[in-house]
Amino acid sequence: MQHSNLTVRTKWDTEVKKIDYQTKDFRLLLETYNLDYSFKDEYLQVGETIEEEHWILYISVVILDLIPLIESIFPILVAEKVPFRIVKDQETAKKIVDGDFGVMKLGKIICIYPEQGPQLLNITKTLISSTSSFRGPAIPYHRLLGGCLYTQDDRYANLKLKWPFEEISPYKLPNKKPLWNYRYKPLFVIKPDLKGRVIQANYFKSLFNIKLCIIKEGIKNMWCDDSGRDIVDRLKWQYQLYKDLAGHVPTPGIFDIFEENGNTYLTMEFITGESLNEKVALINKGSSWFELSIEERSLLTGYLQEIVRLVDQLHKKGYVHRDITPANFIIDKKGSIFLIDMELAYSIFLDKPNPPFKLGTDGYMSPEQMAGHNPTIKEDVYALGALMIFIFTGLPPIKFSLRQKDELVTSLDFFIESRQLINLIINCLSNKPENRPSLSDISGVLRTFTLEISAHSNSEQHKNKIENRTDSQLIDTVIQKAIRTFSLPEILTKEGLWTFPKEEYVPLISQAGSRQIFISFENGIAGIIFLLSRAHRLGYEIESCISAFRTNLEFIKGQYQNNSPITKHGLFNGSAGVALALNEAMISGLEVDDIQGIIQSCFSPVQHHGIDMATGIAGIGTALLGCHQNLDPTFFNSQLEEITNNILLRQQKNGYWENFRINNRKKDNLIGFANGTAGILCFLLASLQYHRNEQSIASIEKGLRWLIKIAEKRNGNYLWPISTKSKTIDNISYAIGLPGIALAFIKAFQFFNASAYKTVAENILYPLVKYPIDKDFTQLNGLSGLGEIYLEAHHTFKSEHWRERANYIAQLFSRTCLLSGKTSVYWSIDATTEYDSSLMTGCSGIIHFLIRMQMKNSNVNHPLLNY
């Protein structure tokens, strides 16, 4: 349809302004003008766009100005009949501005593709004029032409075209100053952030007076709240706040606030020390509270008492902190505590800032803070209750059902031996601010508790209580409630497909709002298919989600019957993992039609690019073994022989396999299960039950000798770093750490019955923390995966000790599940609120571990090792 400037403006005034933008869907805008459009990632595209060797124009804008800007420039785009892309909706626009879709799309709200020549220059001038009154975040690696209009920077875009905007914006390289504001030299970035970095720098106070400092950066227009305030306003507020608190409350000394290249910088004293987060990790070393020494527990309660005192000082100055978290307290070498990052603080005396800055930290925000009510000191009391949960459990408060008092009491009773302390925490977290205790009441209980720690310890009594708990019925109830979450509409598309949190490296099927659809075994649909099939086979009820199960199973079948876009053949994120899930569906009796052929097609052809368990042929071979009963015997034997021979040929003389390297450093190979020698050995060990030959046996023994040779021996115990040149030792993750290496020796004992391998395995596992605490609950890198290894040790070595260790982890999970409605539960996987239902990185992995824990007399295999 042809549109003149006049008709476009008339249509805007008479029709478009009536559109309810609260629907946040810009398709209505295009349809009002009868514009044909197509979907292109996060955008709606009008016309044919050309990106190669063309100058493209980009418009950036803060969300507060989004609709006014569209009203200003959209009629221009229509009248000029220029191809363009506009964000799909307002929610997507916010994510682009916030950088959720990555730095390369940051700020690109509208992309315009004019003809190269007169139209390019004319429309550029018009758009600069039309956007001059708006604000927008800078688009990285692009040049600002004027207003909110950007184009490619030839230094990064590698365009072989002459700069066409000379009369508008002469092409000049930016001037680099040796010092910021003539006295600050940046050294390195402590915290990268698209809204503004935190930088360590040298402060040249004078020629002979140089000290370290911290610089907080605010990128121009990178953030804007509903009141129009941006990051500069936040930094200015902090500058004023720290100046007022100096000498009254221990905070970093403030040096300066200045502007450089349009961005704002706040500089302050650098305090050498650790955050409370880091300090707690150093003290508890992954152990539960009741395993800590009297000195360690007294030290932690001492920190708490001092924090309460500092918050009291802050309140007396008339301020509410509003972001009390472990990350916002620094403890220096002398043990002194400093308050940092107080940008959310509010002055009761001055009623500033007005309105208070929003947001906070999940788990630490009171209900009234989340609702945006006027701040009171009771917000900080709530946050102190959440902070006590972190100190005494070692877990973020978001891991617990903070709103359900009875459930929270039961949960805390598992971790904390003092009922008085539990009651204090419960009262701090009251939904009614008036029911929360005073700071003096909190100090009194903490003093009493500290004296009790010094006088006598209840830790042994509490430890015995934990060890003797079985709660089998409770765990069964938790399993059934967790299974029900797979039918929740929050994780399903309107077609009934499961969605997952965004992951950059996983093969994507499609976008589903803020979540995405993946098909992989590790963190996609296949993993849930596997879990539900196994749960059904073992007698658990899955009727509540059977409809979703069948919908997703049909989706997978359709992907493979219609030449799926998935080309990877690995176990974690490729076709081999899908085969393992479909095989479990077959043997569970849930599905038999049209699957056997798909399973076999998942293994053909075998790719030889990688060799490891996660992405290479060791993982493909492992899945092949798991599916053997549903594969043609001739096909199975030939594929197994090909994979095995390839692996044997690639073993190095010393016994290891070259695989994933850390930072591409030569001779720095990963050692563990997912990408290292340990995982390859697990496959070869499994293959012996189908093809026992001397060459494989010799290869396995050589690999195990290499592992023993490179181990660090401490008091008879075995330790390995995550790679051959690393010093990092991981005690929790079976993907990269010690548990995965122990698994190789457990399997070696299972097949060879050689006591030396059992000794090594147990000397790896015994020194691990008996009652571990870790915020990562996943199979791949967290507690549920560690629990699976303990169950493998129990099954193989017939020792109840390993089952007792697994039981502790199961009890922990039964007391950290979160309610979803009245009949469903789930877990906060890694200190985030987003629900992840996947197998290796989400809640399905926890459910699988709990099911194995319940199957005392049944041989339920590890999810990746079906033998």
Side-chain angles (χ1 to χ4, degrees):
M1 175 176 285
Q2 299 295 313
H3 295 280
S4 68
N5 257 318
L6 180 60
T7 59
V8 166
R9 289 291 177 186
T10 301
K11 181 178 283 289
W12 186 278
D13 291 334
T14 59
E15 297 183 40
V16 178
K17 281 190 174 181
K18 296 177 183 178
I19 294 176
D20 178 12
Y21 283 108
Q22 295 309 309
T23 61
K24 302 179 181 180
D25 189 342
F26 295 133
R27 286 179 297 177
L28 298 173
L29 185 62
L30 303 181
E31 289 166 3
T32 300
Y33 283 99
N34 296 323
L35 295 173
D36 293 329
Y37 62 87
S38 58
F39 290 94
K40 182 69 176 179
D41 299 326
E42 291 75 41
Y43 299 90
L44 304 171
Q45 177 171 310
V46 176
E48 294 297 323
T49 63
I50 302 175
E51 300 194 31
E52 290 76 17
E53 291 300 313
H54 271 66
W55 293 104
I56 306 169
L57 304 176
Y58 303 96
I59 296 178
S60 171
V61 67
V62 296
I63 293 302
L64 192 67
D65 292 342
L66 175 63
I67 300 304
L69 177 129
I70 290 177
E71 290 176 349
S72 176
I73 63 96
F74 190 80
I76 298 170
L77 301 180
V78 176
E80 291 288 335
K81 294 179 284 189
V82 60
F84 66 91
R85 292 176 187 167
I86 183 171
V87 287
K88 293 187 296 188
D89 48 49
Q90 197 162 334
E91 181 183 351
T92 304
K94 186 178 186 308
K95 290 180 179 296
I96 287 176
V97 168
D98 288 344
D100 291 355
F101 290 111
V103 69
M104 298 313 295
K105 289 184 179 177
L106 194 151
K108 295 178 179 178
I109 299 298
I110 300 176
C111 314
I112 305 157
Y113 303 82
E115 293 181 6
Q116 309 299 287
Q119 187 190 42
L120 173 63
L121 207 55
N122 290 337
I123 199 170
T124 298
K125 292 176 180 178
T126 304
L127 292 174
I128 289 174
S129 175
S130 300
T131 62
S132 59
S133 61
F134 298 104
R135 296 174 294 166
I139 300 178
Y141 313 115
H142 288 66
R143 282 190 175 271
L144 177 64
L145 297 172
C148 295
L149 193 69
Y150 289 78
T151 193
Q152 301 102 310
D153 189 326
D154 196 34
R155 290 174 297 165
Y156 307 108
N158 198 28
L159 288 171
K160 299 180 178 68
L161 299 172
K162 182 180 178 181
W163 180 252
F165 308 104
E166 194 66 32
E167 66 175 273
I168 300 171
S169 177
Y171 191 91
K172 293 180 181 178
L173 293 175
N175 233 350
K176 286 192 176 180
K177 291 183 180 180
L179 297 176
W180 289 0
N181 205 34
Y182 306 104
R183 57 176 66 185
Y184 301 100
K185 182 176 179 59
L187 298 176
F188 61 88
V189 175
I190 297 174
K191 179 184 176 184
D193 194 312
L194 294 172
K195 297 179 178 64
R197 302 163 295 175
V198 178
I199 302 164
Q200 185 172 317
N202 277 330
Y203 171 36
F204 292 84
K205 190 171 183 180
S206 65
L207 185 61
F208 300 105
N209 188 359
I210 305 171
K211 58 175 67 176
L212 287 174
C213 72
I214 292 293
I215 301 178
K216 294 188 74 173
E217 176 185 53
I219 303 294
K220 182 181 179 182
N221 297 329
M222 254 310 297
W223 173 85
C224 180
D225 67 13
D226 295 340
S227 300
R229 298 171 301 187
D230 60 16
I231 198 69
V232 176
D233 295 296
R234 285 207 177 200
L235 292 179
K236 287 180 177 178
W237 168 241
Q238 287 179 75
Y239 180 78
Q240 176 186 339
L241 176 70
Y242 282 128
K243 287 289 187 183
D244 189 38
L245 291 176
H248 301 277
V249 179
T251 58
I254 291 295
F255 300 147
D256 199 1
I257 188 167
F258 62 91
E259 188 177 302
E260 192 89 25
N261 297 324
N263 301 323
T264 301
Y265 298 89
L266 177 68
T267 63
M268 63 186 72
E269 174 189 10
F270 177 82
I271 298 173
T272 303
E274 291 100 14
S275 70
L276 182 62
N277 239 336
E278 295 166 325
K279 204 72 174 176
V280 170
L282 287 170
I283 292 171
N284 67 29
K285 299 181 182 64
S287 298
S288 296
W289 172 264
F290 50 79
E291 279 199 290
L292 302 183
S293 68
I294 291 175
E295 292 75 16
E296 289 168 333
R297 282 182 283 168
S298 297
L299 183 59
L300 289 174
T301 54
Y303 288 148
L304 263 177
Q305 288 176 278
E306 177 63 9
I307 287 170
V308 173
R309 189 184 71 82
L310 296 180
V311 172
D312 187 44
Q313 287 182 327
L314 188 68
H315 289 176
K316 287 174 180 175
K317 280 289 290 178
Y319 292 99
V320 185
H321 191 291
R322 303 184 69 239
D323 198 19
I324 292 174
T325 73
N328 287 340
F329 295 95
I330 291 288
I331 304 171
D332 70 8
K333 293 181 178 179
K334 296 179 181 179
S336 299
I337 301 178
F338 294 80
L339 281 68
I340 63 170
D341 285 347
M342 295 181 60
E343 64 186 64
L344 295 184
Y346 172 80
S347 171
I348 297 174
F349 296 162
L350 301 175
D351 188 23
K352 290 180 64 177
N354 190 6
F357 289 123
K358 291 183 178 180
L359 298 181
T361 304
D362 286 329
Y364 295 89
M365 284 188 290
S366 66
E368 65 269 23
Q369 184 174 347
M370 288 190 287
H373 295 169
N374 209 43
T376 71
I377 60 173
K378 293 297 186 177
E379 288 186 8
D380 287 348
V381 174
Y382 184 96
L384 286 170
L387 187 67
M388 283 188 275
I389 287 180
F390 169 72
I391 293 291
F392 295 120
T393 71
L395 295 171
I398 201 170
K399 295 280 192 181
F400 299 89
S401 292
L402 302 181
R403 300 288 182 270
Q404 283 77 35
K405 181 177 178 180
D406 292 342
E407 286 81 0
L408 185 57
V409 169
T410 302
S411 296
L412 295 180
D413 182 62
F414 179 78
F415 297 92
I416 304 171
E417 66 265 30
S418 168
R419 179 49 66 107
Q420 186 182 17
L421 192 58
I422 292 172
N423 289 338
L424 174 67
I425 294 171
I426 296 296
N427 291 336
C428 286
L429 298 173
S430 173
N431 288 332
K432 296 180 178 180
E434 63 271 19
N435 291 343
R436 295 172 198 157
S438 66
L439 294 182
S440 61
D441 289 338
I442 295 174
S443 293
V445 174
L446 289 175
R447 277 196 303 271
T448 301
F449 182 66
T450 303
L451 291 173
E452 289 176 356
I453 291 172
S454 302
H456 59 86
S457 173
N458 294 324
S459 62
E460 284 303 319
Q461 181 181 350
H462 190 73
K463 194 183 298 183
N464 291 335
K465 182 173 73 171
I466 297 300
E467 287 180 345
N468 293 328
R469 276 179 172 164
T470 54
D471 293 342
S472 180
Q473 186 174 355
L474 171 63
I475 293 175
D476 262 341
T477 301
V478 167
I479 291 170
Q480 285 295 172
K481 287 185 175 182
I483 286 174
R484 292 192 192 106
T485 60
F486 298 118
S487 62
L488 292 178
E490 295 90 326
I491 68 166
L492 294 169
T493 66
K494 61 182 180 181
E495 295 81 16
L497 298 177
W498 290 310
T499 63
F500 305 86
K502 183 179 180 182
E503 294 284 354
E504 295 293 345
Y505 62 91
V506 181
L508 175 67
I509 297 299
S510 71
Q511 184 79 26
S514 61
R515 296 166 66 86
Q516 293 179 335
I517 300 169
F518 304 116
I519 204 168
S520 70
F521 187 83
E522 178 185 352
N523 47 10
I525 291 172
I528 302 179
I529 293 290
F530 178 89
L531 180 277
L532 291 178
S533 299
R534 180 161 285 191
H536 173 75
R537 179 163 61 87
L538 297 171
Y540 285 91
E541 178 61 59
I542 69 166
E543 188 60 34
S544 61
C545 50
I546 193 66
S547 176
F549 175 90
R550 296 201 180 281
T551 297
N552 283 271
L553 190 62
E554 288 302 315
F555 176 74
I556 288 184
K557 289 163 61 178
Q559 292 290 312
Y560 279 84
Q561 288 166 346
N562 299 318
N563 298 318
S564 166
I566 297 178
T567 57
K568 291 190 176 182
H569 288 262
L571 173 57
F572 283 21
N573 291 312
S575 295
V578 172
L580 208 54
L582 296 179
N583 181 77
E584 190 69 30
M586 280 199 72
I587 63 178
S588 71
L590 284 169
E591 180 64 43
V592 293
D593 296 333
D594 307 321
I595 272 190
Q596 197 160 3
I598 295 176
I599 292 174
Q600 189 151 309
S601 71
C602 289
F603 296 105
S604 182
V606 172
Q607 303 295 305
H608 290 173
H609 301 300
I611 197 171
D612 65 306
M613 180 66 74
T615 63
I617 55 175
I620 296 172
T622 299
L624 188 80
L625 298 175
C627 300
H628 74 278
Q629 69 269 58
N630 285 312
L631 295 173
D632 175 77
T634 303
F635 174 85
F636 170 78
N637 289 326
S638 66
Q639 294 292 82
L640 180 60
E641 184 177 1
E642 180 182 349
I643 291 171
T644 303
N645 289 341
N646 190 279
I647 287 176
L648 296 178
L649 285 171
R650 293 165 71 172
Q651 188 176 27
Q652 304 299 302
K653 289 183 179 179
N654 288 344
Y656 70 96
W657 282 268
E658 287 189 339
N659 44 63
F660 277 68
R661 292 176 177 173
I662 303 295
N663 298 325
N664 262 343
R665 291 184 300 196
K666 290 184 178 179
K667 298 182 180 179
D668 186 18
N669 294 290
L670 289 166
I671 299 171
F673 178 84
N675 302 112
T677 292
I680 297 169
L681 288 171
C682 283
F683 160 70
L684 288 176
L685 284 160
S687 71
L688 293 181
Q689 63 181 316
Y690 300 97
H691 186 62
R692 193 178 183 98
N693 64 76
E694 295 304 317
Q695 191 177 359
S696 290
I697 292 172
S699 174
I700 293 166
E701 290 175 337
K702 185 191 293 186
L704 293 170
R705 284 197 300 271
W706 176 78
L707 283 176
I708 293 172
K709 180 181 178 181
I710 67 166
E712 179 184 343
K713 285 91 173 175
R714 295 182 192 171
N715 302 320
N717 301 320
Y718 290 82
L719 297 170
W720 287 267
I722 62 172
S723 72
T724 48
K725 286 191 175 182
S726 173
K727 294 182 179 179
T728 301
I729 295 174
D730 192 307
N731 294 322
I732 300 290
S733 168
Y734 79 63
I736 63 172
L738 296 178
I741 299 173
L743 184 60
F745 286 96
I746 292 171
K747 291 299 181 183
F749 174 76
Q750 182 179 335
F751 283 100
F752 295 124
N753 199 28
S755 60
Y757 295 141
K758 178 183 178 183
T759 299
V760 174
E762 292 193 323
N763 286 346
I764 297 170
L765 296 178
Y766 267 122
L768 300 184
V769 173
K770 188 175 181 181
Y771 305 104
I773 291 291
D774 196 279
K775 68 178 182 179
D776 191 327
F777 285 2
T778 66
Q779 277 272 338
L780 206 55
N781 294 303
L783 290 179
S784 59
L786 176 61
E788 298 270 8
I789 302 302
Y790 285 146
L791 291 177
E792 288 288 329
H794 169 255
H795 171 70
T796 303
F797 302 148
K798 312 302 180 187
S799 168
E800 283 302 309
H801 174 82
W802 304 116
R803 183 170 176 81
E804 288 169 6
R805 289 204 181 191
N807 177 60
Y808 162 80
I809 297 174
Q811 298 299 325
L812 183 150
F813 286 144
S814 71
R815 286 160 177 83
T816 53
C817 48
L818 307 175
L819 293 176
S820 178
K822 295 182 179 180
T823 60
S824 302
V825 298
Y826 68 102
W827 290 267
S828 167
I829 291 299
D830 191 13
T832 62
T833 56
E834 192 162 18
Y835 175 49
D836 188 340
S837 56
S838 57
L839 181 63
M840 303 306 296
T841 59
C843 294
S844 288
I846 299 174
I847 300 170
H848 186 278
F849 161 67
L850 293 177
I851 289 175
R852 282 191 79 191
M853 188 68 206
Q854 294 296 86
M855 298 290 112
K856 297 177 183 178
N857 301 317
S858 175
N859 295 332
V860 185
N861 298 321
H862 188 284
L864 295 177
L865 301 174
N866 280 288
Y867 59 89

